[in-house]
């Protein structure tokens, strides 16, 4: 079998005899059963636990999490939570609105109610 050459230079030529396909040993396994609640990242979970049910600015969320570095917070915590759907925008049609605020989605409010222990007085 001849090697296949590509127009653009590659690090390795596409030659099946030298680089055979490696199949996943677990390809026969079945998918995991769906969980009751969707999975969230650790960062999204931290934001969910620190937010109230009302709209909050990004600075208020950072303060509640005791974080100070806005860039790290935005990249490591805030954007994953936003992409995961854990928080929603007050003005979704204007994502860069200067007075934008955020709150938990209804699903995450319910998750928060079910996963936090009631405080003992």
């Amino acid at each position: 079998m001849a090697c296949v050459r590509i127009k653009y230079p590659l690090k390795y030529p596409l030659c099946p005899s030298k680089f055979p396909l490696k199949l996943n040993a677990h390809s026969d396994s079945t998918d995991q059963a769906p969980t009751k609640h969707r999975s969230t990242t650790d960062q999204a979970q931290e934001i969910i636990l620190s937010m109230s049910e009302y709209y909050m600015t990004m600075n208020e969320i950072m303060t509640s999490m005791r974080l100070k570095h806005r860039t790290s917070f935005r990249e490591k915590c805030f954007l994953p939570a936003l992409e995961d759907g854990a928080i929603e925008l007050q003005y979704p049609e204007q994502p860069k609105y200067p007075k934008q605020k955020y709150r938990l989605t209804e699903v995450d409010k319910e998750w928060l109610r079910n996963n936090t222990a009631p405080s003992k007085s």
Side-chain angles (χ1 to χ4, degrees):
M1 181 178 254
C3 291
V4 177
R5 297 286 179 194
I6 299 216
K7 192 175 185 180
Y8 303 104
L10 295 176
K11 189 172 183 179
Y12 303 106
L14 297 175
C15 185
S17 61
K18 291 185 180 179
F19 303 100
L21 290 175
K22 293 181 180 178
L23 299 176
N24 186 355
H26 303 288
S27 62
D28 295 14
S29 64
T30 59
D31 293 333
Q32 287 184 336
T35 57
K36 185 174 181 181
H37 298 286
R38 62 183 174 75
S39 63
T40 58
T41 61
D42 293 338
Q43 295 87 356
Q45 205 168 31
E46 287 178 38
I47 287 182
I48 292 168
L49 293 171
S50 67
M51 287 182 70
S52 69
E53 61 182 75
Y54 304 106
Y55 284 107
M56 300 172 72
T57 63
M58 189 179 295
N59 285 337
E60 291 169 339
I61 299 169
M62 286 176 57
T63 303
S64 70
M65 294 179 71
R66 297 186 180 124
L67 298 174
K68 295 181 181 179
H69 195 263
R70 186 180 178 96
T71 306
S72 293
F73 167 73
R74 187 171 187 279
E75 291 173 1
K76 295 180 181 176
C77 298
F78 185 76
L79 291 178
L82 192 60
E83 290 169 1
D84 191 38
I87 55 179
E88 61 187 7
L89 288 72
Q90 185 174 11
Y91 305 102
E93 64 282 347
Q94 300 173 344
K96 294 186 178 184
Y97 186 68
K99 296 182 181 180
Q100 186 70 267
K101 291 186 178 184
Y102 311 90
R103 72 172 177 185
L104 294 174
T105 58
E106 293 301 320
V107 172
D108 289 300
K109 287 179 188 178
E110 184 65 32
W111 181 89
L112 186 62
R113 280 187 226 112
N114 293 334
N115 291 295
T116 54
S119 59
K120 296 179 181 179
S121 303

